[in-house]
Amino acid sequence: MNIYFVTCISNCYEMKDEELLYALALQRAKGIGDVNAKKLIEACGSAKSVLEERQNTLQKINGIGSIMLKSLFDSINLIEAEKELKLIRNFDIKPLYFLEQEYPQKLNNCVDAPILLFQDGDFDFKNPKIISIVGTRRMTNYGRAFCPEFISDLKKHNPIIISGFAYGVDICAHNAAVENNLQTVGVFAHGYGQVYPKVHKKYMSQVYENGGFLTEFWHDDAPLRENFLKRNRIVAGISQATVVIESASRGGALATATNANSYSRDVFALPGRTTDTYSEGCNALIRDNKAALITSADDVVKMLNWDQSIVNSKPIQKQLFVELTNDEEKIINYLKKENKEFLDIISLECDLLVHKTASILFQLEMKGLVKPLPGKLFELID
């Protein structure tokens, strides 16, 4: 990289915009990807430092090869990044950088999460009750009747409703969220320079009033087929749980459910008749233990422990001189440092399978050492 070229561009921007400029350049570089981009930033300290580092130094980083570096140091990346940054500022788009606090925490726990997201609208992800609702584009009357009622019944819990703004279940979920005055976020598989599908442009103003849109794609990026699969991982990763309402045996909703399972997130599916084409996917998820069966919003509320009105009438007494297994001790020691943490994070940090972690936490609860909180959060009892 020509250091003079880098310096000339960087002098045009304030510090925050400067790092954003280099993060955009890193995001644009072909063949790098989000996982390697994070490796590079972690090793160098910032996106700018990556592009100022010597290539032979970067090549020592695991997984970073010479072909990748050739793309990384292509001067066109910064030129295009400069154009994109101007569009971001001109259209008042809010960039979310994975090293900043405003980046969605749940998504940041996913190894393949984008280094940059682009937010259009007024919303945040501090609300822990975030669910994605996905399903077929060829929604039947069965799903069309269930979806609005399901979301209406969730209203008192005030969740954020995430979906992909596509035909069928997606737009039904967004519209039902708007009708119930719930915050809703549509995740695009393209940039903000267009709307897909075009007929959904008429719904955008209502969504903006109750939330907005999110994408990892640049302003002029088209809705290519591969972008929808990338979009699905954001829908799954940003959410506490994914609800599948109708799906054929193959489709994007099942890909989203697969992503959610890989991130150790809860997946729920609405069952249907075995003869119904658009229930085949949901029935398969339930059959293969990849989703929990639901028939109403109450099922989700109970399984996610959202109903805080339920209080144990007989609180568990902490036992004295408790004997712990090695795995129990590992979790207790971790919670001594963190005090409280989510199930999937405990599983990850303690190097235990999620279902085993859940079982151990239940035993620790019975021993009076750990207390469950809403949203699969667990707290050490003093």
Side-chain angles (χ1 to χ4, degrees), residues 288-315:
D288 297 338
N289 294 317
K290 293 180 179 178
L293 183 153
I294 59 166
T295 58
S296 68
D298 284 343
D299 295 331
V300 172
V301 169
K302 289 175 183 176
M303 283 187 259
L304 294 180
N305 200 20
W306 282 2
D307 193 348
Q308 300 181 45
S309 64
I310 299 175
V311 180
N312 291 331
S313 58
K314 295 181 180 179

Side-chain angles (χ1 to χ4, degrees), residues 168-301:
V169 172
D170 286 18
I171 198 64
C172 183
H174 289 304
N175 287 338
V178 168
E179 288 170 9
N180 287 279
N181 200 29
L182 292 174
Q183 198 169 72
T184 186
V185 177
V187 184
F188 283 159
H190 52 80
Y192 288 119
Q194 58 190 299
V195 178
Y196 181 85
K198 291 182 180 179
V199 295
H200 285 180
K201 190 172 183 179
K202 60 186 176 183
Y203 301 118
M204 291 184 69
S205 61
Q206 296 175 342
V207 172
Y208 278 122
E209 288 178 10
N210 290 266
F213 298 92
L214 199 65
T215 187
E216 68 176 305
F217 297 101
W218 285 23
H219 188 269
D220 294 326
D221 285 346
L224 304 177
R225 180 184 294 272
E226 59 267 25
N227 290 356
F228 289 92
L229 289 175
K230 294 185 72 177
R231 184 271 308 275
N232 291 343
R233 83 190 194 288
I234 296 176
V235 172
I238 214 165
S239 307
Q240 180 185 3
T242 292
V243 179
V244 185
I245 300 176
E246 291 199 299
S247 173
S249 58
R250 298 177 65 182
L254 297 186
T256 305
T258 298
N259 286 134
N261 276 311
S262 72
Y263 299 146
S264 300
R265 307 293 164 79
D266 287 295
V267 178
F268 304 104
L270 176 68
R273 295 178 301 190
T274 57
T275 54
D276 289 347
T277 299
Y278 294 106
S279 288
E280 287 179 3
C282 290
N283 291 341
L285 287 171
I286 296 166
R287 180 196 65 211
D288 297 338
N289 294 317
K290 293 180 179 178
L293 183 153
I294 59 166
T295 58
S296 68
D298 284 343
D299 295 331
V300 172
V301 169

Side-chain angles (χ1 to χ4, degrees), residues 12-285:
C12 301
Y13 301 94
E14 297 177 1
M15 190 62 187
K16 190 171 184 180
D17 274 7
E18 184 180 64
E19 179 63 9
L20 174 58
L21 176 71
Y22 291 102
L24 284 165
L26 191 53
Q27 187 181 48
R28 187 195 183 279
K30 294 179 181 179
I32 300 296
D34 296 299
V35 175
N36 286 323
K38 290 174 187 176
K39 281 184 187 178
L40 289 163
I41 293 170
E42 183 180 358
C44 299
S46 70
K48 181 184 178 185
S49 297
V50 171
L51 292 171
E52 292 179 338
E53 186 56 83
R54 295 177 181 275
Q55 292 194 37
N56 59 357
T57 301
L58 295 178
Q59 204 163 346
K60 296 175 183 177
I61 300 172
N62 184 36
I64 307 300
S66 57
I67 296 176
M68 194 180 296
L69 290 175
K70 184 178 180 181
S71 173
L72 176 63
F73 286 99
D74 188 338
S75 61
I76 193 65
N77 295 331
L78 271 171
I79 293 171
E80 293 299 320
E82 186 179 19
K83 294 177 184 177
E84 188 65 20
L85 182 55
K86 288 179 180 177
L87 287 170
I88 289 170
R89 296 312 182 203
N90 288 342
F91 287 95
D92 198 26
I93 302 300
K94 182 178 181 180
L96 303 176
Y97 189 35
F98 82 105
L99 291 178
E100 295 181 344
Q101 289 186 352
E102 290 182 316
Y103 193 95
Q105 182 183 1
K106 288 184 176 65
L107 184 62
N108 221 2
N109 292 330
C110 306
V111 65
D112 58 348
I115 62 169
L116 277 171
L117 288 167
F118 308 106
Q119 173 181 330
D120 191 13
D122 184 17
F123 58 91
D124 63 60
F125 295 103
K126 293 178 183 177
N127 181 353
K129 297 175 183 176
I130 305 174
I131 62 169
S132 56
I133 298 179
V134 298
T136 178
R137 299 185 178 199
R138 296 177 177 85
M139 200 176 190
T140 71
N141 289 335
Y142 175 56
R144 198 171 289 112
F146 179 83
C147 185
E149 182 179 356
F150 174 78
I151 291 175
S152 177
D153 290 343
L154 288 177
K155 181 176 181 178
K156 61 184 177 181
H157 300 283
N158 195 35
I160 299 175
I161 305 298
I162 307 289
S163 201
F165 206 62
Y167 293 110
V169 172
D170 286 18
I171 198 64
C172 183
H174 289 304
N175 287 338
V178 168
E179 288 170 9
N180 287 279
N181 200 29
L182 292 174
Q183 198 169 72
T184 186
V185 177
V187 184
F188 283 159
H190 52 80
Y192 288 119
Q194 58 190 299
V195 178
Y196 181 85
K198 291 182 180 179
V199 295
H200 285 180
K201 190 172 183 179
K202 60 186 176 183
Y203 301 118
M204 291 184 69
S205 61
Q206 296 175 342
V207 172
Y208 278 122
E209 288 178 10
N210 290 266
F213 298 92
L214 199 65
T215 187
E216 68 176 305
F217 297 101
W218 285 23
H219 188 269
D220 294 326
D221 285 346
L224 304 177
R225 180 184 294 272
E226 59 267 25
N227 290 356
F228 289 92
L229 289 175
K230 294 185 72 177
R231 184 271 308 275
N232 291 343
R233 83 190 194 288
I234 296 176
V235 172
I238 214 165
S239 307
Q240 180 185 3
T242 292
V243 179
V244 185
I245 300 176
E246 291 199 299
S247 173
S249 58
R250 298 177 65 182
L254 297 186
T256 305
T258 298
N259 286 134
N261 276 311
S262 72
Y263 299 146
S264 300
R265 307 293 164 79
D266 287 295
V267 178
F268 304 104
L270 176 68
R273 295 178 301 190
T274 57
T275 54
D276 289 347
T277 299
Y278 294 106
S279 288
E280 287 179 3
C282 290
N283 291 341
L285 287 171

